Amino acid sequence: IQHIYDLHKKFEKIAENETTYEEFNTEDADIILVAFGSMTRNIKAAMNVLRKKGIKAGCFRPVTLSPFPHKRLEELAELGKDFVVVEMNMGQMLKDVKYAVGGKSKVELVNRPCGEWLSVEEIVSSVEKIREKSYATSIFIPKSMKKDFRYTFCPGCDHGIVIRLVAEVIDELGIREDMISSTSVGCSVFLYDF
């Protein structure tokens, strides 16, 4: 049991010294766009468009996902900031952001599953709809994927992209009911959900 306590102390020290993030225009922002990885470029561009439209938007990019920058997001939530998490998956980071803000702020999700890119225009439009309260969570889901479950792929993993492409082909050919598929172990087993 002591080993577990030692590992926990080690992780706390790592979290204190190694957690990194970037933020842009968060000081005066009413709404903060949150994304990791390559999607950060698009949320920065969306932030600039939103600001030109009179919406005080900022950006927050966790550089380290583990340890996650919970403390800074909590501080921003305490200042009354709301958050829009932008992801190319089914919202894995959404859970971290919600945990970090602890119910002190609104947290919304703009996403497209399986590594599908979100354009600047789609992000801007989604933020405007969120502000109008008429937003549907996912922007695109292939017909084969419309079930009550969530996909979880690691950031940067290509499994989601391949599965999305397979789902689109299945839809286009109209062969869902005639298919039999087999998968290897690992994340590719999510193919059975189609």
Side-chain angles (χ1 to χ4, degrees):
I1 289 189
Q2 184 60 43
H3 179 66
I4 301 298
Y5 288 115
D6 293 341
L7 287 175
H8 183 70
K9 277 186 181 178
K10 184 177 182 180
F11 184 79
E12 284 181 338
K13 187 174 182 178
I14 290 169
E16 184 179 319
N17 297 319
E18 304 297 328
T19 302
T20 54
Y21 55 87
E22 294 177 334
E23 54 185 292
F24 310 92
N25 294 326
T26 57
E27 313 81 31
D28 69 336
D30 296 324
I31 191 162
I32 298 175
L33 306 175
V34 184
F36 64 89
S38 60
M39 188 50 64
T40 305
R41 288 177 289 187
N42 282 20
I43 68 166
K44 284 183 190 176
M47 173 193 69
N48 292 329
V49 172
L50 290 164
R51 283 188 167 263
K52 285 178 185 172
K53 291 183 169 198
I55 298 170
K56 292 182 181 175
C59 293
F60 187 90
R61 173 189 170 234
V63 176
T64 55
L65 295 177
S66 181
F68 194 77
H70 292 101
K71 183 177 178 183
R72 180 59 182 150
L73 286 170
E74 181 181 15
E75 292 168 356
L76 291 168
E78 287 172 356
L79 296 172
K81 315 291 184 180
D82 288 332
F83 301 87
V84 175
V85 178
V86 181
E87 297 193 69
M88 296 186 293
N89 56 47
M90 290 305 290
Q92 287 88 327
M93 189 175 61
L94 175 68
K95 297 170 189 171
D96 287 310
V97 174
K98 282 186 172 183
Y99 175 76
V101 304
K104 297 172 188 154
S105 295
K106 293 178 193 169
V107 180
E108 299 286 346
L109 174 66
V110 173
N111 73 315
R112 183 174 287 142
C114 303
E116 184 75 20
W117 193 257
L118 288 145
S119 71
V120 173
E121 295 78 18
E122 289 170 316
I123 297 167
V124 168
S125 172
S126 297
V127 169
E128 290 172 333
K129 288 176 183 175
I130 286 168
R131 290 173 53 91
E132 296 167 7
K133 307 284 188 241
S134 62
Y135 181 72
T137 303
S138 289
I139 293 172
F140 171 78
I141 301 177
K143 291 176 190 168
S144 297
M145 295 171 63
K146 290 190 177 181
K147 290 186 174 183
D148 187 24
F149 59 87
R150 296 180 76 78
Y151 291 92
T152 54
F153 296 104
C154 299
C157 175
D158 291 335
H159 277 107
I161 294 168
V162 172
I163 289 176
R164 177 184 54 80
L165 292 173
V166 169
E168 288 177 3
V169 169
I170 291 169
D171 284 347
E172 286 176 22
L173 296 175
I175 59 172
R176 182 173 184 225
E177 300 305 317
D178 300 324
M179 281 202 51
I180 296 175
S181 65
S182 63
T183 63
S184 63
V185 296
C187 295
S188 63
V189 299
F190 289 125
L191 182 63
Y192 68 78
D193 283 320
F194 294 101

